[in-house]
Amino acid sequence: MCGIVAATAQRDVAPLLIAGLKALEYRGYDSAGLAVLEDGEVHRVRAKGKVREMESLYLAAPFPGGTGIAHTRWATHGVPNEVNAHPHMIGRVTIVHNGIIENYAKLRTDLQVKGYVFTSETDTEVMAALIDLHLTQGMKLREAVLATVRELEGAYAIAVIDRDEPGHVVGARRGAPLLVGVGIGENFLGSDAQALVQVTNKIIYLEEGDIVEISRENVQVYTLDGKAVERGIQESELSADAVERGEYRHYMQKEIFEQPHAVANTLEARINAHGVLPNVFGIDGDELLAKVKGVHIVACGTSYHAGLVAKYWIEDYARLPVNVEVASEYRYRETVVPEGTLFVAISQSGETADTLAAMRESRRRGYLGTLAICNVPESSVVREADLKLMTRAGPEIGVASTKAFTTQLAALALLTLHLAKQHGLDEARYRDLTEQLLRLPRILDEALKLEPQVIELAERFVQRHHALFLGRGVEYPVAMEGALKLKEISYIHAEAYAAGELKHGPLALVDEDMPVIAVAPNGPLLDKLKSNLQEVRARGGELIVFADAKAHFDGNPARGAVLRIDAGGDFIAPAVFTVPLQLLAYHVAVLRGTDVDQPRNLAKSVTVE
Ligand code: G6P
């Protein structure tokens, strides 16, 4: 989703802004631009496509200047092209914006009456005109931004410069992330700490509604009612190395291979051979969790699939009722919240607009409390939750989520064990589940060794247009995640079904052109799954089975393949089976030559509704 970088410095800022935008590329975007103020004049360069295309234009005609703003745009209002790309300029104002202004049409009409002419289709240009109008009425930039944001409905993070106020950038946020990077004699704004890691690790996290004015020597934050406030400086632990690709061809591949380590980090100091340790959910956590009688999980995308796995686990082992819902649905309907229900938000970024809004909405609905399972400690979701459990996956750059998912499963497994213990799970089974979870990093490492076999399989998919994924029980959400991975990065249409549903519709699609991928763990549902797969075989479908090594699956089918995996036990099998499905999607995408880390039309952090 859109990325913002801004700087005020003694040195020329354009190269810093470009480096910052490159660090934000992972968020997904379709055009880029920057503007620099120098001697009362604003120089701007914008281009459709990648940051490097905009950079070449800049390098062909570079401009100096110590105050600037820059942006990667993910189109909402208006197609991706140069005219709609940010920064937008009207009168004295130059602006970049992330978010959606809902009342922009009315504001636009009012401003047209006042003589403003708009050249783009964006809501952002309307904000620029409104700020300019306030400037012409005699306000300073900060006052003009404050007056403007008070008139806006919707979500925004902005960075603005006034041609007549050199050396100053004003930022504001509501419903979209923005933070301040504090340097020595230079200061910055960015959408996340990653954008600034190359210039500073001292970060001020802005709160909802905050407005900030930065100059080379000063940073001052104001609340929406105009009062100056202190917001503490925190040291970001991000290092520039953590966001390097290293020996891997893509970030996604690197992140798939980081999973054993990331999961081990998530489990570290939280569980030992006797089970989950006290205070894993914070000081008040154990007390609050002791009262839990049910769980509602809300999330989007891959995080939603992690929630679905947790439903099987918590209902099975803790015998507590669990509802899982996508955040965009949850927030706009009335849910029934029985007494003692815990609200769990799962989000890699902690900034997903729907998940955040759902969590805020949940406050009104009478939950026992909220728990955030998240990968970004300073994110909005974490800051607003009562309890938090960080996933410690490290920065995830590839748009298609991989290590974030398996670390979410590790965190949810800890929650499951904690609740299961309280709700009387048999001691021996608790010990077994604990042992399984402790060996998960090692088993994931083994699963990664299947890569050469998966590469061979991937070749079968290069010319395909569709694929079906099947799973049963807790492996059904794993099949959903496998289908999502394939469609996200290879653009092959893929759907997942609970294998028992096959004959209620999707079987009609099965013929020699429809590969069917099945996840076959060793368990009570294995025989049922085998019967489902016979139905596919009988229709000439190509069957690819990822089978637990213990599952006694017959040799290779006439058309298709069986790939055997040590799933490490029934509890951790969903995390383990995810690995070959991720690798399959990755290698199919590589063979098809897609932009694996930044697939078309998708964004890493979806900060608009
Ligand atoms: C986007 C990303 C997905 C992610 C989803 C939820 O769609 O492309 O990879 O699963 O958002 O994001 P979150 O940060 O809330 O987990």
Side-chain angles (χ1 to χ4, degrees):
M1 198 114 299
C2 307
I4 291 176
V5 194
T8 53
Q10 175 104 44
R11 46 184 173 157
D12 289 340
V13 291
L16 308 180
L17 297 175
I18 290 171
L21 289 186
K22 284 184 177 167
L24 288 176
E25 282 192 297
Y26 79 97
R27 295 165 72 89
Y29 69 102
D30 38 50
S31 51
L34 71 84
V36 168
L37 173 62
E38 170 78 349
D39 294 335
E41 220 185 306
V42 176
H43 302 272
R44 173 175 68 164
V45 56
R46 299 180 294 173
K48 185 180 166 195
K50 296 289 175 194
V51 173
R52 60 176 179 276
E53 286 156 42
M54 187 271 289
E55 183 184 22
S56 329
L57 293 179
Y58 166 76
L59 291 174
F63 34 80
T67 307
I69 58 179
H71 192 258
T72 46
R73 173 173 187 254
W74 189 80
T76 54
H77 292 76
V79 295
N81 61 18
E82 193 190 324
V83 173
N84 288 329
H86 301 211
H88 287 284
M89 291 165 69
I90 286 201
R92 284 161 54 183
V93 172
T94 308
I95 186 171
V96 292
H97 165 222
N98 172 9
I100 294 179
I101 302 306
E102 285 160 11
N103 59 338
Y104 89 106
K106 163 145 196 343
L107 292 171
R108 189 181 166 109
T109 314
D110 296 349
L111 287 159
Q112 277 166 331
V113 171
K114 293 194 169 77
Y116 281 97
V117 177
F118 297 100
T119 54
S120 78
E121 300 160 74
T122 65
D123 49 349
T124 306
E125 224 187 346
V126 174
M127 293 170 75
L130 201 50
I131 297 170
D132 185 68
L133 180 68
H134 291 305
L135 288 177
T136 58
Q137 290 164 348
M139 291 184 190
K140 299 288 283 177
L141 180 60
R142 176 177 61 81
E143 298 160 334
V145 169
L146 181 62
T148 299
V149 294
R150 283 186 181 150
E151 292 174 56
L152 302 178
E153 287 162 24
Y156 58 79
I158 52 172
V160 196
I161 48 183
D162 169 8
R163 199 185 49 210
D164 295 351
E165 219 176 305
H168 288 252
V169 180
V170 172
R173 68 155 288 186
R174 191 172 75 200
L178 190 70
L179 44 81
V180 183
V182 181
I184 301 168
E186 52 188 24
N187 289 306
F188 306 89
L189 299 177
S191 291
D192 65 28
Q194 239 147 274
L196 305 180
V197 72
Q198 298 164 69
V199 282
T200 183
N201 67 345
K202 296 201 167 35
I203 303 291
I204 298 173
Y205 291 93
L206 297 176
E207 311 227 328
E208 277 294 270
D210 278 357
I211 290 159
V212 64
E213 180 165 23
I214 61 167
S215 61
R216 268 167 46 199
E217 298 300 339
N218 277 311
V219 173
Q220 182 60 59
V221 183
Y222 301 85
T223 56
L224 202 48
D225 51 16
K227 285 205 192 82
V229 277
E230 280 293 315
R231 302 261 183 251
I233 298 180
Q234 309 196 19
E235 295 238 340
S236 159
E237 284 172 13
L238 264 187
S239 71
D241 295 354
V243 289
E244 291 292 323
R245 193 153 38 81
E247 71 202 75
Y248 293 96
R249 184 159 169 201
H250 296 97
Y251 281 108
M252 182 179 177
Q253 189 186 28
K254 174 180 179 239
E255 287 156 7
I256 290 173
F257 277 83
E258 281 173 347
Q259 290 179 110
H261 184 63
V263 167
N265 277 346
T266 303
L267 298 178
E268 193 186 310
R270 289 171 168 169
I271 182 169
N272 66 17
H274 303 290
V276 178
L277 302 176
N279 295 335
V280 163
F281 299 90
I283 299 171
D284 305 325
D286 292 3
E287 211 178 300
L288 192 142
L289 291 178
K291 298 183 200 141
V292 170
K293 294 188 191 143
V295 181
H296 284 180
I297 300 176
V298 169
C300 303
T302 288
S303 299
Y304 168 68
H305 294 157
L308 289 175
V309 172
K311 175 181 168 75
Y312 284 88
W313 282 343
I314 297 172
E315 295 204 335
D316 215 357
Y317 303 126
R319 308 297 300 135
L320 292 172
V322 181
N323 274 350
V324 191
E325 193 162 357
V326 287
S328 52
E329 286 299 312
Y330 172 92
R331 59 185 288 200
Y332 290 116
R333 72 180 192 94
E334 284 305 321
T335 41
V336 177
V337 182
E339 195 208 319
T341 306
L342 176 72
F343 181 92
V344 179
I346 309 174
S347 174
Q348 185 281 130
S349 62
E351 300 294 349
T352 301
D354 282 320
T355 307
L356 191 55
M359 192 166 113
R360 288 178 181 152
E361 171 62 25
S362 78
R363 294 277 179 211
R364 204 182 55 77
R365 298 189 185 178
Y367 285 90
L368 184 65
T370 53
L371 165 66
I373 293 186
C374 187
N375 195 36
V376 181
E378 292 306 327
S379 62
S380 306
V381 164
V382 171
R383 282 189 282 157
E384 294 184 25
D386 302 320
L387 308 179
K388 33 225 117 192
L389 188 58
M390 302 313 303
T391 48
R392 301 179 187 157
E396 190 180 68
I397 309 290
V399 163
S401 194
T402 52
K403 62 175 178 170
F405 179 70
T406 40
T407 53
Q408 283 166 351
L409 291 185
L412 288 161
L414 290 170
L415 177 67
T416 302
L417 285 179
H418 184 100
L419 294 173
K421 177 134 203 177
Q422 279 173 358
H423 289 84
L425 179 69
D426 155 59
E427 192 53 42
R429 186 67 167 131
Y430 181 80
R431 228 179 10 254
D432 165 42
L433 299 185
T434 301
E435 280 164 16
Q436 287 193 39
L437 192 51
L438 284 169
R439 64 174 179 259
L440 178 58
R442 185 174 58 75
I443 304 284
L444 289 173
D445 213 27
E446 288 301 311
L448 287 166
K449 294 185 184 148
L450 293 169
E451 190 179 35
Q453 287 161 267
V454 176
I455 293 175
E456 272 177 41
L457 280 182
E459 280 162 18
R460 300 166 183 245
F461 287 79
V462 181
Q463 301 300 334
R464 303 294 192 180
H465 300 292
H466 307 275
L468 274 183
F469 284 71
L470 302 179
R472 289 196 78 126
V474 70
E475 257 62 59
Y476 170 38
V478 172
M480 293 168 82
E481 177 58 11
L484 177 64
K485 287 289 87 89
L486 190 69
K487 72 181 116 178
E488 277 179 315
I489 57 169
S490 76
Y491 316 148
I492 293 175
H493 169 231
E495 296 302 331
Y497 282 89
E501 275 291 292
L502 190 64
K503 53 189 160 308
H504 299 295
L507 196 55
L509 300 172
V510 173
D511 61 14
E512 54 283 3
D513 292 326
M514 172 68 89
V516 177
I517 299 105
V519 179
N522 188 26
L525 287 175
L526 181 64
D527 287 337
K528 302 223 178 282
L529 181 81
K530 282 183 180 166
S531 316
N532 301 141
L533 299 186
Q534 285 305 340
E535 295 158 2
V536 173
R537 237 171 241 175
R539 271 111 195 137
E542 184 175 2
L543 198 54
I544 314 281
V545 185
F546 293 100
D548 188 340
K550 297 196 190 78
H552 301 297
F553 227 91
D554 323 333
N556 277 350
R559 293 195 73 233
V562 178
L563 214 142
R564 290 188 174 71
I565 302 157
D566 174 5
D570 55 348
F571 184 40
I572 60 171
V576 182
F577 278 117
T578 300
V579 172
L581 298 182
Q582 293 168 340
L583 286 170
L584 180 67
Y586 172 72
H587 285 290
V588 173
V590 169
L591 289 172
R592 285 168 67 101
T594 62
D595 190 349
V596 172
D597 285 331
Q598 291 160 36
R600 68 184 183 199
N601 307 341
L602 298 181
K604 179 79 189 155
S605 180
V606 181
T607 50
V608 295
E609 231 189 293

mmCIF file of all heavy atoms in Angstrom, residues 299-304 346-353 355 396 398-402 404 408 481 484-485 488 602-606, ligand 1:
data_model
loop_
_atom_site.group_PDB
_atom_site.id
_atom_site.type_symbol
_atom_site.label_atom_id
_atom_site.label_comp_id
_atom_site.label_asym_id
_atom_site.label_seq_id
_atom_site.Cartn_x
_atom_site.Cartn_y
_atom_site.Cartn_z
ATOM 1 N N ALA A 299 -9.383 -11.377 11.485
ATOM 2 C CA ALA A 299 -8.140 -11.145 10.736
ATOM 3 C C ALA A 299 -8.466 -11.063 9.246
ATOM 4 O O ALA A 299 -9.631 -11.219 8.843
ATOM 5 C CB ALA A 299 -7.152 -12.284 10.993
ATOM 6 N N CYS A 300 -7.450 -10.818 8.431
ATOM 7 C CA CYS A 300 -7.615 -10.769 6.970
ATOM 8 C C CYS A 300 -6.558 -11.658 6.312
ATOM 9 O O CYS A 300 -5.471 -11.852 6.868
ATOM 10 C CB CYS A 300 -7.389 -9.363 6.437
ATOM 11 S SG CYS A 300 -8.452 -8.119 7.147
ATOM 12 N N GLY A 301 -6.860 -12.112 5.107
ATOM 13 C CA GLY A 301 -5.872 -12.795 4.269
ATOM 14 C C GLY A 301 -5.260 -14.009 4.948
ATOM 15 O O GLY A 301 -5.943 -14.849 5.546
ATOM 16 N N THR A 302 -3.950 -14.077 4.861
ATOM 17 C CA THR A 302 -3.222 -15.202 5.442
ATOM 18 C C THR A 302 -3.446 -15.289 6.949
ATOM 19 O O THR A 302 -3.575 -16.386 7.508
ATOM 20 C CB THR A 302 -1.726 -15.024 5.113
ATOM 21 O OG1 THR A 302 -1.552 -15.289 3.723
ATOM 22 C CG2 THR A 302 -0.845 -15.954 5.904
ATOM 23 N N SER A 303 -3.512 -14.148 7.612
ATOM 24 C CA SER A 303 -3.723 -14.146 9.063
ATOM 25 C C SER A 303 -5.069 -14.789 9.414
ATOM 26 O O SER A 303 -5.217 -15.438 10.455
ATOM 27 C CB SER A 303 -3.673 -12.722 9.601
ATOM 28 O OG SER A 303 -2.421 -12.156 9.334
ATOM 29 N N TYR A 304 -6.051 -14.603 8.532
ATOM 30 C CA TYR A 304 -7.361 -15.245 8.735
ATOM 31 C C TYR A 304 -7.206 -16.769 8.690
ATOM 32 O O TYR A 304 -7.794 -17.494 9.495
ATOM 33 C CB TYR A 304 -8.322 -14.730 7.656
ATOM 34 C CG TYR A 304 -9.616 -15.488 7.540
ATOM 35 C CD1 TYR A 304 -10.570 -15.442 8.555
ATOM 36 C CD2 TYR A 304 -9.901 -16.252 6.394
ATOM 37 C CE1 TYR A 304 -11.769 -16.147 8.434
ATOM 38 C CE2 TYR A 304 -11.087 -16.941 6.270
ATOM 39 C CZ TYR A 304 -12.024 -16.890 7.296
ATOM 40 O OH TYR A 304 -13.200 -17.588 7.174
ATOM 41 N N ILE A 346 -5.508 -11.019 14.698
ATOM 42 C CA ILE A 346 -4.236 -11.534 14.171
ATOM 43 C C ILE A 346 -3.846 -10.663 12.983
ATOM 44 O O ILE A 346 -4.643 -10.481 12.054
ATOM 45 C CB ILE A 346 -4.366 -12.999 13.701
ATOM 46 C CG1 ILE A 346 -5.005 -13.870 14.787
ATOM 47 C CG2 ILE A 346 -2.998 -13.559 13.310
ATOM 48 C CD1 ILE A 346 -5.281 -15.290 14.326
ATOM 49 N N SER A 347 -2.630 -10.138 13.014
ATOM 50 C CA SER A 347 -2.185 -9.291 11.909
ATOM 51 C C SER A 347 -0.665 -9.257 11.871
ATOM 52 O O SER A 347 -0.033 -8.966 12.879
ATOM 53 C CB SER A 347 -2.737 -7.868 12.100
ATOM 54 O OG SER A 347 -2.212 -7.008 11.121
ATOM 55 N N GLN A 348 -0.105 -9.558 10.736
ATOM 56 C CA GLN A 348 1.350 -9.466 10.588
ATOM 57 C C GLN A 348 1.795 -8.021 10.817
ATOM 58 O O GLN A 348 2.654 -7.755 11.633
ATOM 59 C CB GLN A 348 1.743 -9.946 9.190
ATOM 60 C CG GLN A 348 3.237 -10.019 8.915
ATOM 61 C CD GLN A 348 3.887 -8.689 8.608
ATOM 62 O OE1 GLN A 348 4.902 -8.338 9.204
ATOM 63 N NE2 GLN A 348 3.316 -7.919 7.702
ATOM 64 N N SER A 349 1.164 -7.094 10.084
ATOM 65 C CA SER A 349 1.605 -5.697 10.098
ATOM 66 C C SER A 349 1.087 -4.922 11.297
ATOM 67 O O SER A 349 1.699 -3.950 11.722
ATOM 68 C CB SER A 349 1.099 -5.007 8.831
ATOM 69 O OG SER A 349 -0.320 -5.019 8.832
ATOM 70 N N GLY A 350 -0.084 -5.319 11.775
ATOM 71 C CA GLY A 350 -0.716 -4.544 12.851
ATOM 72 C C GLY A 350 -1.305 -3.230 12.365
ATOM 73 O O GLY A 350 -1.696 -2.384 13.167
ATOM 74 N N GLU A 351 -1.368 -3.051 11.038
ATOM 75 C CA GLU A 351 -1.909 -1.797 10.501
ATOM 76 C C GLU A 351 -3.039 -2.047 9.509
ATOM 77 O O GLU A 351 -3.512 -1.096 8.874
ATOM 78 C CB GLU A 351 -0.815 -0.973 9.805
ATOM 79 C CG GLU A 351 0.346 -0.557 10.684
ATOM 80 C CD GLU A 351 -0.022 0.437 11.791
ATOM 81 O OE1 GLU A 351 -1.146 0.985 11.761
ATOM 82 O OE2 GLU A 351 0.806 0.646 12.688
ATOM 83 N N THR A 352 -3.444 -3.273 9.297
ATOM 84 C CA THR A 352 -4.496 -3.560 8.325
ATOM 85 C C THR A 352 -5.781 -2.828 8.745
ATOM 86 O O THR A 352 -6.278 -3.028 9.858
ATOM 87 C CB THR A 352 -4.721 -5.075 8.235
ATOM 88 O OG1 THR A 352 -3.484 -5.653 7.845
ATOM 89 C CG2 THR A 352 -5.793 -5.433 7.234
ATOM 90 N N ALA A 353 -6.276 -1.978 7.843
ATOM 91 C CA ALA A 353 -7.367 -1.076 8.212
ATOM 92 C C ALA A 353 -8.577 -1.840 8.752
ATOM 93 O O ALA A 353 -9.157 -1.455 9.773
ATOM 94 C CB ALA A 353 -7.756 -0.235 7.004
ATOM 95 N N THR A 355 -8.803 -4.870 10.085
ATOM 96 C CA THR A 355 -8.551 -5.562 11.360
ATOM 97 C C THR A 355 -8.530 -4.555 12.509
ATOM 98 O O THR A 355 -9.108 -4.790 13.580
ATOM 99 C CB THR A 355 -7.214 -6.334 11.284
ATOM 100 O OG1 THR A 355 -7.253 -7.163 10.124
ATOM 101 C CG2 THR A 355 -6.987 -7.189 12.514
ATOM 102 N N GLU A 396 8.981 -8.935 7.250
ATOM 103 C CA GLU A 396 8.561 -9.760 6.109
ATOM 104 C C GLU A 396 8.349 -8.811 4.937
ATOM 105 O O GLU A 396 7.522 -7.901 5.014
ATOM 106 C CB GLU A 396 7.282 -10.526 6.432
ATOM 107 C CG GLU A 396 6.961 -11.565 5.375
ATOM 108 C CD GLU A 396 5.694 -12.335 5.689
ATOM 109 O OE1 GLU A 396 4.602 -11.731 5.646
ATOM 110 O OE2 GLU A 396 5.785 -13.533 5.971
ATOM 111 N N GLY A 398 8.312 -9.878 1.293
ATOM 112 C CA GLY A 398 7.498 -10.451 0.215
ATOM 113 C C GLY A 398 6.022 -10.187 0.494
ATOM 114 O O GLY A 398 5.573 -10.363 1.633
ATOM 115 N N VAL A 399 5.297 -9.748 -0.518
ATOM 116 C CA VAL A 399 3.865 -9.460 -0.300
ATOM 117 C C VAL A 399 3.131 -10.720 0.156
ATOM 118 O O VAL A 399 2.281 -10.682 1.042
ATOM 119 C CB VAL A 399 3.237 -8.850 -1.577
ATOM 120 C CG1 VAL A 399 1.724 -8.922 -1.527
ATOM 121 C CG2 VAL A 399 3.675 -7.401 -1.719
ATOM 122 N N ALA A 400 3.468 -11.853 -0.455
ATOM 123 C CA ALA A 400 2.813 -13.104 -0.052
ATOM 124 C C ALA A 400 3.403 -13.549 1.289
ATOM 125 O O ALA A 400 4.594 -13.795 1.410
ATOM 126 C CB ALA A 400 3.037 -14.165 -1.116
ATOM 127 N N SER A 401 2.555 -13.628 2.267
ATOM 128 C CA SER A 401 3.006 -13.881 3.632
ATOM 129 C C SER A 401 3.424 -15.343 3.809
ATOM 130 O O SER A 401 2.718 -16.256 3.391
ATOM 131 C CB SER A 401 1.830 -13.566 4.551
ATOM 132 O OG SER A 401 2.258 -13.485 5.861
ATOM 133 N N THR A 402 4.587 -15.569 4.416
ATOM 134 C CA THR A 402 5.056 -16.944 4.637
ATOM 135 C C THR A 402 5.457 -17.142 6.093
ATOM 136 O O THR A 402 4.736 -17.758 6.866
ATOM 137 C CB THR A 402 6.238 -17.268 3.703
ATOM 138 O OG1 THR A 402 7.236 -16.250 3.839
ATOM 139 C CG2 THR A 402 5.790 -17.368 2.267
ATOM 140 N N ALA A 404 5.384 -15.070 8.409
ATOM 141 C CA ALA A 404 4.407 -14.461 9.322
ATOM 142 C C ALA A 404 3.337 -15.496 9.680
ATOM 143 O O ALA A 404 2.895 -15.583 10.826
ATOM 144 C CB ALA A 404 3.771 -13.242 8.679
ATOM 145 N N GLN A 408 2.622 -17.073 13.287
ATOM 146 C CA GLN A 408 1.287 -16.879 13.876
ATOM 147 C C GLN A 408 0.766 -18.212 14.400
ATOM 148 O O GLN A 408 0.170 -18.294 15.480
ATOM 149 C CB GLN A 408 0.315 -16.323 12.828
ATOM 150 C CG GLN A 408 0.500 -14.846 12.545
ATOM 151 C CD GLN A 408 -0.215 -14.388 11.295
ATOM 152 O OE1 GLN A 408 -0.728 -15.202 10.512
ATOM 153 N NE2 GLN A 408 -0.244 -13.087 11.078
ATOM 154 N N GLU A 481 -4.712 -21.770 2.497
ATOM 155 C CA GLU A 481 -3.495 -20.947 2.449
ATOM 156 C C GLU A 481 -2.651 -21.322 1.217
ATOM 157 O O GLU A 481 -2.087 -20.443 0.553
ATOM 158 C CB GLU A 481 -2.712 -21.118 3.762
ATOM 159 C CG GLU A 481 -1.393 -20.388 3.843
ATOM 160 C CD GLU A 481 -1.461 -18.875 3.654
ATOM 161 O OE1 GLU A 481 -2.565 -18.305 3.645
ATOM 162 O OE2 GLU A 481 -0.391 -18.281 3.478
ATOM 163 N N LEU A 484 -4.268 -19.728 -1.753
ATOM 164 C CA LEU A 484 -4.037 -18.272 -1.742
ATOM 165 C C LEU A 484 -2.623 -17.953 -2.228
ATOM 166 O O LEU A 484 -2.423 -17.052 -3.048
ATOM 167 C CB LEU A 484 -4.260 -17.723 -0.324
ATOM 168 C CG LEU A 484 -3.997 -16.225 -0.131
ATOM 169 C CD1 LEU A 484 -4.973 -15.383 -0.943
ATOM 170 C CD2 LEU A 484 -4.094 -15.833 1.341
ATOM 171 N N LYS A 485 -1.640 -18.710 -1.733
ATOM 172 C CA LYS A 485 -0.246 -18.461 -2.152
ATOM 173 C C LYS A 485 -0.131 -18.595 -3.665
ATOM 174 O O LYS A 485 0.472 -17.773 -4.329
ATOM 175 C CB LYS A 485 0.738 -19.435 -1.490
ATOM 176 C CG LYS A 485 1.031 -19.246 -0.039
ATOM 177 C CD LYS A 485 1.849 -18.032 0.309
ATOM 178 C CE LYS A 485 0.993 -16.826 0.496
ATOM 179 N NZ LYS A 485 0.443 -16.489 1.745
ATOM 180 N N GLU A 488 -1.917 -15.693 -5.515
ATOM 181 C CA GLU A 488 -1.283 -14.387 -5.294
ATOM 182 C C GLU A 488 -0.072 -14.165 -6.194
ATOM 183 O O GLU A 488 0.100 -13.081 -6.742
ATOM 184 C CB GLU A 488 -0.769 -14.280 -3.849
ATOM 185 C CG GLU A 488 -1.791 -13.888 -2.821
ATOM 186 C CD GLU A 488 -1.192 -13.825 -1.424
ATOM 187 O OE1 GLU A 488 -0.444 -14.744 -1.028
ATOM 188 O OE2 GLU A 488 -1.471 -12.864 -0.726
ATOM 189 N N LEU A 602 -1.410 -6.187 -5.742
ATOM 190 C CA LEU A 602 -1.493 -6.509 -4.314
ATOM 191 C C LEU A 602 -0.605 -5.593 -3.486
ATOM 192 O O LEU A 602 0.371 -5.051 -3.978
ATOM 193 C CB LEU A 602 -1.092 -7.963 -4.058
ATOM 194 C CG LEU A 602 -1.970 -9.009 -4.724
ATOM 195 C CD1 LEU A 602 -1.489 -10.399 -4.371
ATOM 196 C CD2 LEU A 602 -3.431 -8.839 -4.328
ATOM 197 N N ALA A 603 -0.956 -5.462 -2.222
ATOM 198 C CA ALA A 603 -0.164 -4.649 -1.298
ATOM 199 C C ALA A 603 0.135 -5.469 -0.064
ATOM 200 O O ALA A 603 -0.647 -6.329 0.335
ATOM 201 C CB ALA A 603 -0.927 -3.399 -0.920
ATOM 202 N N LYS A 604 1.260 -5.188 0.535
ATOM 203 C CA LYS A 604 1.663 -5.919 1.731
ATOM 204 C C LYS A 604 0.852 -5.479 2.942
ATOM 205 O O LYS A 604 0.417 -6.283 3.748
ATOM 206 C CB LYS A 604 3.148 -5.647 1.980
ATOM 207 C CG LYS A 604 3.725 -6.322 3.206
ATOM 208 C CD LYS A 604 4.009 -7.751 2.906
ATOM 209 C CE LYS A 604 4.384 -8.569 4.106
ATOM 210 N NZ LYS A 604 4.084 -9.990 3.886
ATOM 211 N N SER A 605 0.707 -4.184 3.048
ATOM 212 C CA SER A 605 0.049 -3.653 4.225
ATOM 213 C C SER A 605 -1.165 -2.875 3.735
ATOM 214 O O SER A 605 -1.026 -1.818 3.121
ATOM 215 C CB SER A 605 1.048 -2.744 4.935
ATOM 216 O OG SER A 605 0.472 -2.208 6.073
ATOM 217 N N VAL A 606 -2.362 -3.423 3.955
ATOM 218 C CA VAL A 606 -3.557 -2.829 3.357
ATOM 219 C C VAL A 606 -4.173 -1.850 4.349
ATOM 220 O O VAL A 606 -4.996 -2.220 5.182
ATOM 221 C CB VAL A 606 -4.549 -3.908 2.902
ATOM 222 C CG1 VAL A 606 -5.770 -3.280 2.266
ATOM 223 C CG2 VAL A 606 -3.871 -4.827 1.893
HETATM 224 C C1 G6P B 1 -2.517 -8.205 2.630
HETATM 225 C C2 G6P B 1 -1.253 -9.013 2.438
HETATM 226 C C3 G6P B 1 -1.446 -10.414 2.969
HETATM 227 C C4 G6P B 1 -1.894 -10.375 4.410
HETATM 228 C C5 G6P B 1 -3.145 -9.508 4.600
HETATM 229 C C6 G6P B 1 -3.423 -9.254 6.073
HETATM 230 O O1 G6P B 1 -3.528 -8.696 1.819
HETATM 231 O O2 G6P B 1 -0.904 -9.040 1.067
HETATM 232 O O3 G6P B 1 -0.234 -11.123 2.871
HETATM 233 O O4 G6P B 1 -2.169 -11.674 4.851
HETATM 234 O O5 G6P B 1 -2.939 -8.230 3.998
HETATM 235 O O6 G6P B 1 -2.376 -8.501 6.603
HETATM 236 P P1 G6P B 1 -1.963 -8.458 8.108
HETATM 237 O O7 G6P B 1 -0.769 -7.534 8.141
HETATM 238 O O8 G6P B 1 -3.129 -7.873 8.856
HETATM 239 O O9 G6P B 1 -1.640 -9.829 8.558
#
